[in-house]
Amino acid sequence: PDGDGQLTSDHGFDLRRDAARLRPLIAAFKDAGARVSLFVDAGASALELAAEAGADRIELYTGPYADAYAAGDPGPMLAACVATAVQAQALGMRVNAGHDLSQDNLAMFVRAVAPAEVSIGHALIGEALYAGLEATVRAYLAILQDAAPHP
């Protein structure tokens, strides 16, 4: 969803605007055997267009949640993430998440949203500069293990 000169994502697709142009791209990726996930904002409207276009998953843009967490008020953004995840799952899509997730905010997010996958890059590398890569990866795995729903 980003412009050519943009260094990192700061929003998801506008599905009402973008679904028609995404449909043939999604079909091409799926024909090649790829699983397709569309980056969306928490509270995104028209998730049904992502499902109709053939997306297997959505990936929630979690930057606003991370900002709200850092400000001490994650509740409303977390609720928006949960609502979007529930809607996507009801449409038959799985839910991934990523952007600004860190050791500080990950457990709360995973407990509430229970995503299939999380993308953690920038924070992990930044934290690894201080703690080492192996220790940092182990810390993330422990957080995910502790926070994941257990049947």
Side-chain angles (χ1 to χ4, degrees), residues 20-93:
R21 78 176 173 86
L22 290 171
R23 186 180 303 271
L25 298 171
I26 292 169
F29 280 118
K30 290 187 80 155
D31 286 346
R35 180 181 70 197
V36 177
S37 179
L38 295 180
F39 202 50
V40 301
D41 296 319
S45 62
L47 284 183
E48 67 278 358
L49 296 176
E52 290 168 8
D56 300 297
R57 298 175 181 221
I58 61 164
E59 179 170 336
L60 285 169
Y61 169 51
T62 53
Y65 159 75
D67 291 342
Y69 186 95
D73 187 22
M77 280 310 308
L78 188 58
C81 289
V82 169
T84 305
V86 167
Q87 183 184 6
Q89 292 163 340
L91 291 165
M93 294 182 288

Side-chain angles (χ1 to χ4, degrees), residues 9 11 24 32 36-37 39 53 79 84 91 101 114-115 119 121 125 132 140-141 151:
S9 299
H11 65 283
V36 177
S37 179
F39 202 50
T84 305
L91 291 165
L101 294 172
S119 298
I125 296 303
Y140 273 102
L141 291 173

